[in-house]
Amino acid sequence: MISGPSGVGKGTIRNALLPRVDNLQVSISATTRKPRSNEVNAREYFFVSEDEFRELIAEDKLIEWACVYSNLYGTPRDFVMKSLEKGLDVLLEIDIQGAMQVKEKMPEGVFIFIAPPSIDELIERLCNRGQDSQESIEARFAASQKEMSYMKEYDYVVVNDNLADAVKKTESIIIAERCKIN
Ligand code: ADP
Ligand code: 5GP
């Protein structure tokens, strides 16, 4: 599982990992956030209404869920469990609140925190992505300090300074974890 402040590069690292690591399945979350211009339903997210999301919660169809920057996000249970049963590793890219819920339920998971090289660089990436409103960027940045304080709850930290290095480190963590005896 990878988490970290918004704009740190989690999605970029995840996309770069996929062609490099075999037997890795990305989990597609459900969200009430509106799609960005480059996003497609059932590819980046399952975009749902708040009523539909509440129904998923009521039917216990989410492993975890959280309200993040004013929208609801959650991990569909069936898909993750079926992928694990097939022997695949499932990559969750979720926020800290969700990660802490998964840690409770699945402590055997591997928890990787992606950190920015600096706060200035984080702001720059959030702004450069050019996909969120000013209000949303401010909310994401405001949350980042508290999010950083959760780093100690994770198994690994990867600083996303140079992208290629960060991808290599994350790939190495996955490979090392697969070689672990206990
Ligand atoms: P997140 O998924 O954590 O919110 P993104 O993957 O969308 O973040 O990345 C935010 C922005 O930062 C994007 O424009 C992305 O291209 C850029 N980015 C990601 N990693 C790096 C890096 N190592 N150096 C510079 N820019 C980066
Ligand atoms: P974004 O709106 O930038 O796609 O994502 C905002 C935040 O929501 C990010 O921190 C991302 O990791 C998190 N997120 C995405 N999917 C989920 C999910 O299923 N559960 C939780 N708890 N957070 C998620």
Side-chain angles (χ1 to χ4, degrees):
M1 140 149 10
I2 58 178
S3 309
S6 183
V8 73
K10 302 180 296 292
T12 309
I13 292 174
R14 176 195 56 198
N15 293 342
L17 275 177
L18 285 181
R20 294 169 65 116
V21 183
D22 58 5
N23 288 338
L24 191 64
Q25 179 70 61
V26 167
S27 160
I28 303 172
S29 300
T31 183
T32 60
R33 172 168 74 63
K34 298 280 168 278
R36 296 181 178 133
S37 58
N38 57 342
E39 290 179 329
V40 175
N41 189 39
R43 191 180 67 186
E44 279 78 15
Y45 286 105
F46 295 106
F47 295 99
V48 298
S49 67
E50 185 154 345
D51 282 350
E52 287 167 326
F53 197 97
R54 298 273 171 212
E55 215 169 292
L56 292 174
I57 298 171
E59 292 171 356
D60 199 24
K61 288 194 169 153
L62 302 175
I63 294 180
E64 61 72 38
W65 66 274
C67 180
V68 193
Y69 321 131
S70 311
N71 286 296
L72 299 169
Y73 296 80
T75 304
R77 184 188 302 281
D78 268 11
F79 181 78
V80 172
M81 298 324 278
K82 282 190 182 133
S83 301
L84 291 175
E85 278 162 22
K86 282 187 209 156
L88 300 170
D89 286 326
V90 183
L91 183 64
L92 305 184
E93 191 239 280
I94 65 177
D95 95 305
I96 277 108
Q97 306 167 72
M100 293 304 107
Q101 294 174 46
V102 177
K103 203 176 162 190
E104 280 277 303
K105 293 177 192 165
M106 298 174 159
E108 68 282 10
V110 179
F111 298 83
I112 306 172
F113 191 93
I114 311 292
S118 69
I119 292 300
D120 285 351
E121 177 66 21
L122 181 66
I123 301 174
E124 193 156 325
R125 285 186 196 169
L126 270 172
C127 295
N128 284 351
R129 179 163 66 186
Q131 289 283 355
D132 301 301
S133 65
Q134 188 60 32
E135 191 188 357
S136 175
I137 289 176
E138 278 166 19
R140 285 161 188 263
F141 176 64
S144 66
Q145 209 171 345
K146 183 159 183 238
E147 289 170 343
M148 292 292 289
S149 73
Y150 276 86
M151 195 194 292
K152 59 184 184 304
E153 303 291 336
Y154 287 70
D155 300 312
Y156 297 93
V157 59
V158 171
V159 178
N160 181 20
D161 190 348
N162 173 282
L163 179 63
D165 287 349
V167 172
K168 202 168 157 190
K169 285 178 187 168
T170 312
E171 181 184 9
S172 305
I173 292 167
I174 297 170
I175 293 169
E177 283 290 333
R178 286 178 176 175
C179 296
K180 245 185 175 172
I181 294 171
N182 292 308

